[in-house]
Amino acid sequence: MRIMNKEEKLQNLRHSLAHLLAAAVLELYPDAKRTIGPAIDDGFYYDFDFSSSVSDKDLPKIEKKMKEILKSWKEFANEEKSAKEAKDYFNKNEYKKELIEEIIGKGEKITFYTCGKFTDLCRGGHVDNPAKEIKPDSFKLDRVAGAYWRGDEKNKMLTRIYGLAFATKKELDAYLAQREEAEKRDHKKLGRELDLFLFSDLVGSGLALWTPKGTILRNLLDDFVWELRKKRDYMKVEIPHITKKELYEKSGHWDKFKNELFRITTREGHEFAMKPMNCPHHIQIFDRKQWSYRELPQRYANSTTCYRDEQTGELSGLSRVRSFTQDDAHVFLRMSQIKEEFLKIWDIVQEFYKPFGFTMRVRLSVHDPAQADKYLGDKELWKKAESALREIVESKKIDWFEGIGEAAFYGPKLDFMAKDALNREWQVATIQIDMNMPERFDLFCINEKGEKERIVMLHAAIMGSIDRFLSVLIEHTAGAFPFWLSPVQVKVIPVRTSHNKYAQEIFELLKENNIRAELDDGDSNLGGKVRDAKNNKLPYWIVIGDKEIEAKKITLESRDQGQIGQISPEELLQKFLDEVKNKK
Ligand SMILES: [Zn+2]
Ligand SMILES: [Zn+2]
């Protein structure tokens, strides 16, 4: 017998449960037509065509039936069937008949698997003895959803029942707890609760609107990236958000983004498009004059919005939108400068991500030699570029791995992956070498010998999309932003109205020193004011009462450390300014 690895075993367990689900459904709903039931990442599903409607509230009943049947499932037996036998067996099920036709068309064998009293058309991949190997408390029916037959909206809408399944109850519970935590941290929910961003039906879906608080977050993040870039001699540029068709024909984007381009026809009949990316515009800025090798690299930075006509069904919070702002940068340089320049950008990435406490690893994305024709440009150049990148990752003390075939068609790249507080991994920054655009736009410099030398270009967004980065950051921090980034950093709370004057003084002191403070001098009680600070996840709040006024001090409380105690206004200010400076 073949030895299976853990993943394969789990896969088989999940797929066996799909059979069990279908068996239970058919006992309870004999008219239902079953279609397909695969294993998925966290469990399994099965799609049915029910004659009556089935919803989430029916799941406990079905799950109970599954557990009952499971006891009698001791073995999966398989049998090969002729085309006629198979079609006769499923003569009232047009879905299975369609699948059988397909198997026949491919010239493959038709196999039926039977366990207990239930038989299904199947390719195999089950546990040997479900009753023994599947623990009844390690799976759970999850939810009901609609799904078109074969994923095609022209077909009938079926009912999909999802189940969760793991090897043990402990793993199932851990998964449920993590999912619950993820729901609490959902950026769409927190964005509303913390008043950061919104979507408006009148503006349209996938087009986020940012409130004053959300805008503070965006600007602070963008300023941080700029601070790091400025030290490395980047220059800001600015570009319009639309362009003539011709620019994208030349860059290749007209073809590549065909369906995702927002197109505009002017009253004179000219075709324009909203920009889906910024590179071709920046190239026009670079191309305004002839460059000597001494003047390279030229580094252009530009935080600017891009537009892509994503399908409505694909849109999701801030992760998938129709307009997003990139903290974009392009560096125009000689091939021989790649390593040094990459290291500079890498430093920016590391300095930027450090204060957030993500665990980072790097993927060196190289070309797939088996599909050489997929990539543009000279083989020698690819070799040079990839070995330069390999040297760079090897010189860094960081967890890295190679992604063969993950390169862009125009050049290799480094992708930075960040693991968040829930252990989920997100691709964040990428640094890409582009050998294609300089070719298309004939970009060169004059080298030491006075000859034209083809240059290369780097795409180097640090956050990528600020919107998407914020969706990751909101979930990573659960909306409890670090002090330097919090839209409101501290709330000043006078206990009674008689304390308002001193509270006002403290508030003014903080404001003068650019601390984002709020004064809560309303007439609600202390408990209510503190609760409000906590609900808004403010890093600090200050309480001022008789004792504080008498001692010329304030009482400081922290979201993360609890009671800090009485300190003088000078100490408070110093503490806050230090925390901003050190990005705590
Ligand atoms: Zn099966
Ligand atoms: Zn670019």
Side-chain angles (χ1 to χ4, degrees):
M1 201 177 135
R2 207 165 62 85
I3 303 206
M4 269 187 288
N5 65 32
K6 220 177 136 194
E7 240 125 85
E8 242 180 301
K9 261 190 184 158
L10 193 54
Q11 182 90 0
N12 288 350
L13 177 137
R14 287 170 174 163
H15 174 65
S16 306
L17 280 164
H19 280 254
L20 186 61
L21 167 59
V25 163
L26 288 186
E27 279 199 25
L28 295 167
Y29 307 88
D31 295 342
K33 288 177 191 165
R34 55 202 147 125
T35 67
I36 50 161
I40 51 173
D41 269 352
D42 55 7
F44 57 95
Y45 69 77
Y46 210 114
D47 288 349
F48 301 95
D49 184 356
F50 285 104
S51 52
S52 56
S53 103
V54 166
S55 69
D56 285 339
K57 66 179 192 333
D58 300 302
L59 295 183
K61 175 176 71 185
I62 302 172
E63 190 179 303
K64 194 167 157 243
K65 188 53 108 188
M66 285 172 76
K67 286 177 185 173
E68 247 172 67
I69 301 173
L70 176 61
K71 292 180 204 141
S72 65
W73 277 27
K74 308 264 169 149
E75 178 188 27
F76 269 96
N78 69 321
E79 216 182 331
E80 206 181 311
K81 294 279 181 197
S82 70
K84 181 170 183 317
E85 283 170 326
K87 278 192 272 187
D88 282 349
Y89 187 87
F90 284 110
N91 68 350
K92 289 201 188 88
N93 185 326
E94 63 273 27
Y95 306 99
K96 290 287 188 194
K97 278 198 278 193
E98 191 179 319
L99 295 173
I100 292 165
E101 286 296 348
E102 253 178 40
I103 300 172
I104 298 167
K106 284 191 220 150
E108 290 169 6
K109 283 187 215 160
I110 302 168
T111 46
F112 278 18
Y113 278 77
T114 302
C115 198
K117 284 183 273 174
F118 178 76
T119 298
D120 208 350
L121 172 72
C122 177
R123 271 201 206 94
H126 311 106
V127 296
D128 297 326
N129 183 338
K132 217 171 104 195
E133 291 171 63
I134 301 177
K135 296 181 186 70
D137 56 3
S138 70
F139 71 89
K140 180 179 173 15
L141 290 186
D142 192 30
R143 66 200 163 93
V144 170
Y148 294 107
W149 168 237
R150 319 228 83 172
D152 186 340
E153 63 194 55
K154 286 186 216 87
N155 290 338
K156 184 161 183 188
M157 174 79 90
L158 304 171
T159 303
R160 174 169 298 176
I161 300 181
Y162 282 103
L164 303 170
F166 292 85
T168 60
K169 176 177 188 314
K170 204 174 143 207
E171 284 164 73
L172 173 65
D173 288 345
Y175 178 86
L176 287 169
Q178 211 226 27
R179 194 168 73 171
E180 197 183 320
E181 185 56 35
E183 276 162 17
K184 264 192 241 156
R185 288 169 179 248
D186 181 81
H187 73 273
K188 301 183 280 298
K189 179 172 162 280
L190 286 174
R192 207 166 40 239
E193 287 171 9
L194 301 176
D195 191 27
L196 303 175
F197 64 89
L198 62 139
F199 293 92
S200 148
D201 283 342
L202 279 175
V203 175
S205 48
L207 300 164
L209 302 167
W210 291 83
T211 64
K213 282 183 186 167
T215 304
I216 291 175
L217 279 177
R218 290 166 65 90
N219 288 343
L220 286 168
L221 291 168
D222 194 39
D223 290 348
F224 184 21
V225 171
W226 172 241
E227 190 188 302
L228 300 172
R229 278 183 172 148
K230 202 170 143 201
K231 275 191 227 157
R232 291 159 181 96
D233 301 319
Y234 279 73
M235 294 168 283
K236 280 193 181 180
V237 293
E238 218 35 90
I239 58 177
H241 293 207
I242 62 173
T243 179
K244 273 165 63 184
K245 183 183 183 183
E246 285 75 6
L247 179 70
Y248 289 150
E249 280 175 339
K250 190 158 183 184
S251 70
H253 292 113
W254 194 264
D255 205 38
K256 188 164 172 269
F257 282 95
K258 241 188 306 225
N259 298 323
E260 288 162 53
L261 277 181
F262 278 113
R263 296 176 189 198
I264 302 158
T265 308
T266 68
R267 56 180 159 181
E268 289 162 342
H270 301 297
E271 270 199 275
F272 280 71
M274 304 289 287
K275 65 182 164 74
M277 50 191 351
N278 313 305
C279 339
H281 280 93
H282 288 174
I283 287 170
Q284 295 311 297
I285 298 176
F286 175 80
D287 205 19
R288 71 191 183 278
K289 57 169 277 198
Q290 183 167 301
W291 296 96
S292 150
Y293 71 96
R294 283 191 219 92
E295 296 168 291
L296 299 191
Q298 284 286 310
R299 306 175 184 90
Y300 299 155
N302 186 192
S303 292
T304 179
T305 307
C306 293
Y307 308 87
R308 294 182 194 169
D309 187 9
E310 304 279 356
Q311 284 177 292
T312 312
E314 308 269 290
L315 298 171
S316 165
L318 296 176
S319 337
R320 194 80 178 264
V321 285
R322 286 191 168 124
S323 86
F324 54 95
T325 303
Q326 283 183 321
D327 62 330
D328 212 0
H330 293 101
V331 182
F332 300 87
L333 73 174
R334 303 173 81 181
M335 197 58 158
S336 58
Q337 295 172 315
I338 279 187
K339 194 173 161 194
E340 197 188 340
E341 197 60 29
F342 248 77
L343 287 170
K344 278 188 190 162
I345 303 171
W346 188 311
D347 286 344
I348 297 177
V349 172
Q350 268 181 325
E351 282 183 52
F352 178 80
Y353 283 94
K354 204 173 88 188
F356 304 109
F358 291 110
T359 323
M360 303 284 278
R361 57 181 196 141
V362 170
R363 180 175 67 204
L364 169 60
S365 298
V366 295
H367 79 288
D368 177 3
Q371 290 182 289
D373 53 335
K374 236 178 75 180
Y375 306 96
L376 288 172
D378 184 59
K379 282 209 180 72
E380 276 308 300
L381 280 181
W382 271 89
K383 240 190 229 162
K384 249 193 223 166
E386 289 184 353
S387 66
L389 291 194
R390 197 165 288 113
E391 259 176 61
I392 292 167
V393 283
E394 277 166 356
S395 73
K396 289 273 183 183
K397 284 193 198 83
I398 193 165
D399 181 12
W400 71 278
F401 63 105
E402 201 162 297
I404 294 170
E406 298 284 349
F409 70 95
Y410 49 74
K413 58 188 176 119
L414 292 185
D415 297 311
F416 292 80
M417 332 281 274
K419 209 171 246 183
D420 73 5
L422 293 185
N423 242 340
R424 298 172 299 184
E425 197 169 57
W426 310 92
Q427 189 183 319
V428 283
T430 97
I431 320 175
Q432 315 188 351
I433 301 183
D434 192 334
M435 304 180 287
N436 172 45
M437 285 292 163
E439 200 67 46
R440 279 181 176 259
F441 285 94
D442 191 24
L443 304 180
F444 59 87
C445 70
I446 302 298
N447 68 15
E448 295 90 332
K449 294 181 221 147
E451 296 162 345
K452 278 186 176 183
E453 179 182 307
R454 174 71 66 230
I455 60 151
V456 289
M457 148 179 196
L458 302 181
H459 307 258
I462 305 302
M463 287 181 270
S465 143
I466 300 181
D467 309 74
R468 186 172 167 280
F469 176 71
L470 266 166
S471 76
V472 173
L473 188 65
I474 290 169
E475 298 191 3
H476 174 59
T477 58
F481 301 110
F483 180 73
W484 68 274
L485 191 60
S486 274
V488 179
Q489 295 173 301
V490 58
K491 184 153 104 155
V492 184
I493 304 175
V495 178
R496 279 189 306 278
T497 45
S498 58
H499 308 124
N500 281 2
K501 191 170 160 286
Y502 183 61
Q504 178 82 34
E505 281 170 33
I506 298 293
F507 171 66
E508 294 294 341
L509 174 73
L510 295 170
K511 228 171 78 175
E512 276 163 28
N513 286 280
N514 292 318
I515 300 296
R516 294 181 295 277
E518 250 175 27
L519 176 63
D520 193 348
D521 57 2
D523 43 14
S524 62
N525 65 21
L526 178 64
K529 290 177 180 179
V530 169
R531 211 159 34 244
D532 176 71
K534 285 183 179 169
N535 287 343
N536 283 295
K537 311 206 180 192
L538 302 193
Y540 291 107
W541 50 98
I542 288 169
V543 177
I544 291 170
D546 290 337
K547 272 185 281 172
E548 284 79 10
I549 293 177
E550 200 178 313
K552 293 203 166 63
K553 291 194 165 179
I554 57 99
T555 292
L556 184 64
E557 283 185 49
S558 144
R559 173 190 68 200
D560 306 320
Q561 295 141 281
Q563 278 278 358
I564 292 182
Q566 275 196 11
I567 54 173
S568 72
E570 294 73 30
E571 285 169 306
L572 172 75
L573 192 58
Q574 199 51 53
K575 177 180 167 62
F576 281 177
L577 294 176
D578 281 351
E579 288 192 18
V580 170
K581 195 165 158 236
N582 301 318
K583 297 234 153 34
K584 278 191 189 155

